[in-house]
Structure formats: C-alpha cells, structure tokens
C-alpha cells in the first residue's frame, strides 16, 4: 500500500526566502508523484508531477521538486517566496502500474510573511 | 462542462438525516473520484470509478456511505444517518484516465457538509 508523509502541517517563511515543503512516500512499486496546491477559496490544482525521466521537475509559479529514490522523498522548493504562494500544498503518490487512485498527504499550509 | 461541478456548495443537515452530494465531471473523463477533506486530515480517499469497471470502494469509512455513477457521467455520494464526524468538505475529481497513465486530476470546488 502507498502512503505519503508531509513533515510540518504549517510552514511560515518570509517573503523572498526559500520555500521547502517536505514529502516522503512509501510505495512497493515505482511511483508517480504529484504536488497539488489549494489557494484560499479555490479548488485543488496540479502544481507539478514526476512520472519518468528527469528527476528534477519544474512546475507552475517557479516551484520545482526532485525525486530522490534513495531517500524516498519528493520535496517541493521555490527559491524566493511570494505573498501569492500562501496556500495549502498536498503531496500525492500513485502506483506506476495498476489501477489505484491517488493517495494524498495531510497537507502543509504555507504562510508568507511580508 | 468547463470544469468539475459539485452541488450543493454548502449543505447543513441534522444528525441522523440522509444527504446526497452530486458531482458532474468534465465531459469525456472516464475516471471519477470522491475525496473527503477534514481539518488536519488532508484528503481522504473515499471511492473511485473508472469506466465500466467495478468501483474501488476501499476508502468508504462505513456502510452509511455509498456512491453511484450513472451512465458513466454524473455521480452521487450518499451519506445515510449522518453523524457529526461526517462534517467535512467532500471533493469530487475527474480525469481522462488512470493516474498511472500520467493523467492529472481536475477537482471541483467541493461541498461543505455541516452536520448539526
């Protein structure tokens, strides 16, 4: 069975500072990995995903994440936080083969301080 | 439609009543998912429909919860004899195909259910 652990339910950074949101996964088969974002009063939307190929993936709004198999991690980063990045971020995993739905983490709320 | 549509957007009910939540997926999407979002619990998978296959009901928390998908399109999530712990945002999502085929999920805005 797959699972996702997001370290830190709430992360606060200053505007312009590095954003680092941690995600570790557990999967018995090679995974597909996703980050979704939920802005205030909006639905969830895909930020980026890793399927195959390059382990460093770039998403919207300057975010990127790196798949590290040895660490079973898929941390989300952004070099410089903007006020508009304040949102809830969800890491998710699915099996590369098979018929399983996405399994989400509990989410990390990002606050950006001016 | 342009996106995944859910109705109602808000539902307040009394404990013990039954409720029905509706989801209209994006036209042509074969996969449909229901998730529940509770404070501090993230997104909890409930049920998943894929084409004509038998649904994956492994996430339903109790037999008070059921869902159906008619004609491969609209889905209804039914909660019988609601309890206060059922209060949450119920999210529906659809995708063209399986997550394993590199498809992303498109989420609706959710139904906020409050059980008094």
């Amino acid at each position: 069975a797959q699972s996702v652990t997001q370290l830190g339910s709430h992360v606060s950074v200053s505007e312009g500072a590095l954003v680092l949101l941690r995600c570790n996964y557990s999967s018995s088969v090679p995974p597909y990995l996703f980050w979704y974002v939920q802005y205030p009063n909006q639905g969830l939307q895909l930020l980026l995903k890793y399927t195959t190929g390059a382990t460093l993936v770039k998403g919207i709004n300057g975010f990127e994440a790196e798949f590290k198999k040895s660490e079973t991690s898929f941390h989300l980063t952004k070099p410089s936080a903007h006020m508009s990045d304040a949102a809830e971020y969800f890491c998710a995993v699915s099996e590369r083969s098979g018929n399983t739905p996405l399994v989400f983490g509990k989410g990390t709320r990002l606050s950006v301080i001016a | 439609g342009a996106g995944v549509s859910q109705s109602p957007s808000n539902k307040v009910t009394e404990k013990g009543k039954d409720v029905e939540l509706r989801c209209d997926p994006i036209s042509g999407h074969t996969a449909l998912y229901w998730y529940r979002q509770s404070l501090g619990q993230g997104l909890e998978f409930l049920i998943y429909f894929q084409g004509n296959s038998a649904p994956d009901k492994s996430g339903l928390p109790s037999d008070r919860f059921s869902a159906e998908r008619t004609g491969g399109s609209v889905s209804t999530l039914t909660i019988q004899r609601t309890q206060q712990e059922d209060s949450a945002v119920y999210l529906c999502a659809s995708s063209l195909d399986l997550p394993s085929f590199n498809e992303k999920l498109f989420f609706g805005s959710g139904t906020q259910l409050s059980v008094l």
Side-chain angles (χ1 to χ4, degrees):
Chain A
Q2 309 150 88
S3 66
V4 172
T5 301
Q6 291 185 240
L7 295 176
S9 59
H10 186 206
V11 171
S12 185
V13 301
S14 299
E15 191 174 20
L18 170 72
V19 176
L20 171 60
L21 304 182
R22 300 179 185 273
C23 172
N24 288 90
Y25 70 90
S26 172
S27 177
S28 57
V29 298
Y32 284 167
L33 295 160
F34 305 78
W35 276 99
Y36 278 79
V37 60
Q38 187 175 33
Y39 296 105
N41 301 315
Q42 295 186 29
L44 278 91
Q45 57 184 286
L46 181 67
L47 194 57
L48 51 78
K49 61 184 176 184
Y50 167 77
T51 54
T52 59
T55 55
L56 180 64
V57 293
K58 297 184 184 299
I60 60 174
N61 300 334
F63 282 92
E64 61 184 35
E66 185 171 11
F67 169 57
K68 292 188 177 180
K69 184 179 178 180
S70 61
E71 298 177 8
T72 61
S73 69
F74 191 57
H75 302 329
L76 182 70
T77 60
K78 181 174 180 178
S80 177
H82 192 273
M83 297 296 289
S84 61
D85 295 327
E88 185 115 23
Y89 293 80
F90 294 91
C91 183
V93 62
S94 72
E95 292 184 355
R96 184 171 295 185
S97 59
N99 193 17
T100 57
L102 281 182
V103 173
F104 285 85
K106 293 187 176 184
T108 298
R109 179 166 298 279
L110 175 66
S111 297
V112 181
I113 305 168
Chain B
V4 177
S5 177
Q6 292 188 245
S7 60
S9 56
N10 280 282
K11 176 71 176 179
V12 180
T13 190
E14 294 178 349
K15 178 182 173 181
K17 300 283 191 182
D18 297 352
V19 294
E20 286 189 351
L21 312 180
R22 177 187 168 102
C23 173
D24 270 289
I26 293 173
S27 178
H29 280 194
T30 61
L32 186 147
Y33 312 76
W34 283 98
Y35 287 87
R36 179 167 68 176
Q37 185 175 17
S38 306
L39 195 62
Q41 296 301 313
L43 272 73
E44 176 188 5
F45 165 72
L46 297 177
I47 188 169
Y48 161 54
F49 297 89
Q50 172 55 43
N52 295 321
S53 303
D56 177 351
K57 304 179 181 180
S58 60
L60 294 178
S62 78
D63 59 9
R64 296 187 294 106
F65 288 73
S66 63
E68 62 178 21
R69 189 178 185 191
T70 54
S73 181
V74 172
S75 177
T76 301
L77 176 69
T78 302
I79 308 174
Q80 295 179 310
R81 305 180 302 282
T82 52
Q83 303 295 313
Q84 288 183 331
E85 60 262 29
D86 299 334
S87 297
V89 176
Y90 289 82
L91 293 170
C92 176
S94 69
S95 69
L96 273 172
D97 210 321
L98 302 171
S100 58
F101 287 98
N102 203 24
E103 288 299 330
K104 71 176 184 179
L105 271 61
F106 293 81
F107 282 85
S109 297
T111 294
Q112 172 73 63
L113 175 65
S114 300
V115 182
L116 304 179

